[in-house]
Every structure is written in structure tokens, then in C-alpha cells.
Amino acid sequence: MPVPEEECEEIRAVAAMASYGWGVVPVEVTLGGVVFETSLFPKDGGYLLPLKSAVRRPRGLGAGDEVRVELRVRLG
């Protein structure tokens, strides 16, 4: 799922301190009470947040659905 531009600007401000290569940024995500770790992937000047099936399916989420998540960039 694409991260909104406003949040991308905030992520870019700390990405260099957190990225472990190729612009990938490690994050902790909270979605509907579930906390998990993943990484944001750079794409077209923004970031994509991958959501595993194990997180999407129980909430009935599919392609194109908008979701509200809490992201915390994991610094070194």
C-alpha cells in the first residue's frame, strides 16, 4: 500500500539514519491492534508498505482498500 506523501516527507527526514540499503526503511507497524515489523520500499519518490496476507485477511482487507496504520521508523 502506498504511504501518503505527507508521511513520506517525514520518513525521508530520518531514512538515512535507518535504511540498511537500497533505500529500504525498517518500521514497526500497528494495524487494528496487531503490531509487526516490516520495511518500507522506495517507489516513484514515495514508499510502499507491504501488508502480509496474515494481517490483511482477518480484517477483510483487499487491493485498493484504505487503511489507517501507525508507523514507527526503527533506528539502528
Side-chain angles (χ1 to χ4, degrees), residues 20-37:
Y20 51 84
W22 305 288
V24 175
V25 180
V27 293
E28 180 180 274
V29 179
T30 304
L31 170 61
V34 175
V35 179
F36 59 97
E37 293 183 352

Side-chain angles (χ1 to χ4, degrees), residues 3 10 18 23 31 58 68-69 76:
V3 176
E10 293 178 26
L31 170 61
R68 188 173 290 261
V69 300

